[in-house]
Amino acid sequence: MKKAAVRAVPAVLAGLLAVAPALALDSQYNFQTPVTKVADDILGLHMSMFWICVAIFVAVFGVMFYSIWAHRKSKGAVAATFHESTAVEIAWTIIPVIILVVMAWPATKLVLAQKDTSAPDITIKATGYQWKWSYDYVQGEGQGISFYSTLSTPRAQIDRGEWKGDNYLLEVDNPVYVPVGKKVRVLLTAQDVIHAWWVPAFGVKQDAIPGVVRDTWFRAEKEGVYRGNCVELCGKDHGFMPIVVHVVSPEAYAAWVAGKMKPAAAPAVAAAS
C-alpha cells in the first residue's frame, strides 16, 4: 500500500502543476486574468519571482534542516572549530547579487513599458472627487465627451442588507467605454484629496493627486467589462467610488460616441435656429 502511494505522488504533483495556473487566476488569492500585455507581464514577473523565492527557501531551509538532522547530538556529532571561509563569504555575497540582477532586469523593462504613454489612440482625463470620478475624452475618437461616474449600487443593499449582486459596490451609472486593441492614455488628477485609479485586469494603478497631472496607459486585447476601485484612503466613502470600463468593438465604440455626442449637439442646433 505504501509503495503504491509513493508511486502515485509524481502523478498527483504533475496534475496539480498542470492546473495550478488556472486555479491561481480563478482564485480570489491571485491576480485577475490579464487582458493587456503589461498585466500579463506583471503576472509572469510575479510568478517568476515567487518560484525564485520558493527555490531559495527550499535550498536554505533544506541545508539547515539536513545539518540539524545529520549532526544531531544523538549521533555523537561534535561541533567543529574553524574560522570563516573566504571562499564561502565571497560566494554568498556574489550569488545574491546575481539573483538580484536577474530579477531586476525584467522588472526594469516592465516599469519602462508601463511608463511609455507615447502615441496614444485615445486620451482620457480622469479626475477623482470625494467620492466619484469624472471623465473627459480629450484626444482621439470621442473627443469632447465628458461625464461623471458614480456608484449605482442601491442604498438598500448597503444600508439595509438586501440581497447583493455579483458586482456589489463595483457598478456605476456611467461606465467608461474604450475600443478593443487601441492604446488609451489616462491623465490622472484629483479635485480634493489623493485618489488612485486601479483596474487590475489592465495592470494599471496610478495615484491621482490634487494639482498634479500624472498619466498611465493600457491597451485591452479582449472585449468585456472590467472593474476596479479607488485604492487610496480618500475619506469615509472611499469604498464607494468604483471604476468600470467597457472594452467594446470599434463599431460599438463608434455607436457609443455618436450617442454621447447627440445630447451635446442638440443645444447648439437649437441656439442656431
Side-chain angles (χ1 to χ4, degrees):
M1 181 67 72
K2 290 183 178 179
K3 290 182 178 180
V6 171
R7 286 197 297 267
V9 168
V12 172
L13 290 176
L16 289 174
L17 290 173
V19 301
L23 291 175
L25 288 179
D26 291 337
S27 167
Q28 61 179 315
Y29 304 110
N30 207 332
F31 291 21
Q32 290 185 9
T33 302
V35 295
T36 68
K37 185 179 184 307
V38 167
D40 191 58
D41 289 345
I42 290 172
L43 176 61
L45 182 63
H46 166 78
M47 296 310 300
S48 298
M49 301 302 178
F50 171 76
W51 289 116
I52 289 173
C53 292
V54 168
I56 294 171
F57 174 87
V58 170
V60 171
F61 281 87
V63 170
M64 184 180 74
F65 287 126
Y66 172 77
S67 299
I68 293 171
W69 176 80
H71 302 95
R72 60 191 186 276
K73 183 178 180 181
S74 62
K75 290 188 67 174
V78 178
T81 56
F82 56 86
H83 292 285
E84 65 276 0
S85 166
T86 302
V88 171
E89 294 282 351
I90 294 173
W92 70 30
T93 300
I94 292 178
I95 291 174
V97 169
I98 294 173
I99 293 172
L100 289 174
V101 170
V102 169
M103 297 169 77
W105 180 259
T108 302
K109 289 177 62 178
L110 180 55
V111 170
L112 292 175
Q114 287 178 299
K115 299 300 181 182
D116 181 15
T117 59
S118 61
D121 298 299
I122 296 170
T123 300
I124 302 171
K125 179 184 177 185
T127 305
Y129 294 83
Q130 291 179 309
W131 287 270
K132 57 183 176 288
W133 294 95
S134 75
Y135 296 98
D136 300 283
Y137 286 62
V138 298
Q139 180 264 326
E141 186 179 6
Q143 181 175 341
I145 293 175
S146 181
F147 57 87
Y148 287 95
S149 182
T150 58
L151 178 73
S152 62
T153 297
R155 294 301 308 185
Q157 294 182 14
I158 300 170
D159 299 331
R160 297 195 291 277
E162 290 191 3
W163 179 85
K164 299 172 175 58
D166 293 337
N167 297 315
Y168 176 66
L169 297 184
L170 290 173
E171 47 208 344
V172 298
D173 52 1
N174 287 312
V176 176
Y177 277 76
V178 298
V180 67
K182 298 293 185 180
K183 184 172 183 177
V184 180
R185 182 188 184 201
V186 184
L187 305 175
L188 285 158
T189 189
Q191 185 67 23
D192 33 50
V193 298
I194 298 177
H195 300 278
W197 204 83
W198 177 59
V199 181
F202 296 164
V204 169
K205 179 182 178 293
Q206 185 71 276
D207 281 356
I209 303 171
V212 177
V213 177
R214 308 181 74 193
D215 66 349
T216 185
W217 71 280
F218 64 89
R219 180 186 283 110
E221 299 171 353
K222 182 180 178 182
E223 295 181 33
V225 179
Y226 304 102
R227 304 175 190 273
N229 304 84
C230 171
V231 282
E232 287 289 354
L233 294 176
C234 56
K236 71 178 185 68
D237 284 346
H238 155 69
F240 298 155
M241 51 184 301
I243 300 156
V244 180
V245 181
H246 287 233
V247 179
V248 298
S249 66
E251 296 77 17
Y253 179 72
W256 177 82
V257 169
K260 281 287 187 179
M261 290 296 191
K262 284 179 182 177
V269 172
S273 59

